[in-house]
Amino acid sequence: MSTTGFNSFPRGTADTRDRLEDRETKYAQVAHAELNAILTAREPLHGYTIYTTLFSCSNCAKLVIQAGLKRIVSPTYDIERWAASLKLSQEMYDEAGVAWDLIDMEKSVAA
């Protein structure tokens, strides 16, 4: 089974340059890829793995856990402004029994 998701404004709302360029507005309105992938799945996701281009924020981690996904695979990255949210995501995943694998993209590309 596969499903895809991407960051986007909700269906029926305008995807305008003004909204995209206003960080506060964009963060408040955009649905993250994890949510979109979960919502468009055509079957229950219990036990599946999700592959992401960035590690889940804590809001998306809640959704991943609630959907029954059991593993997340994403590249490593260090974004200081999201550090607290990413740490909380890791803690929630650990407590809920969701495995998380971080891939060092620099090493992967060099190999």
Side-chain angles (χ1 to χ4, degrees), residues 27-104:
Y27 286 171
Q29 294 183 4
V30 165
H32 285 176
E34 294 90 335
L35 171 63
N36 283 323
I38 290 166
L39 290 175
T40 60
R42 296 181 180 226
E43 64 183 74
L45 299 174
H46 297 277
Y48 282 100
T49 297
I50 187 168
Y51 295 85
T52 63
T53 57
L54 296 173
F55 195 73
S56 300
C57 68
S58 59
N59 285 323
C60 288
K62 292 183 285 192
L63 300 170
V64 167
I65 293 165
Q66 287 297 93
L69 291 154
K70 287 299 177 188
R71 180 174 171 236
I72 178 171
V73 177
S74 69
T76 59
Y77 62 99
D78 185 20
I79 301 174
E80 190 170 323
R81 74 173 177 255
W82 298 336
S85 180
L86 302 179
K87 183 177 186 301
L88 181 56
S89 296
Q90 291 172 339
E91 291 170 0
M92 288 191 299
Y93 284 147
D94 288 345
E95 186 172 340
V98 176
W100 45 277
D101 298 316
L102 300 179
I103 300 166
D104 186 336

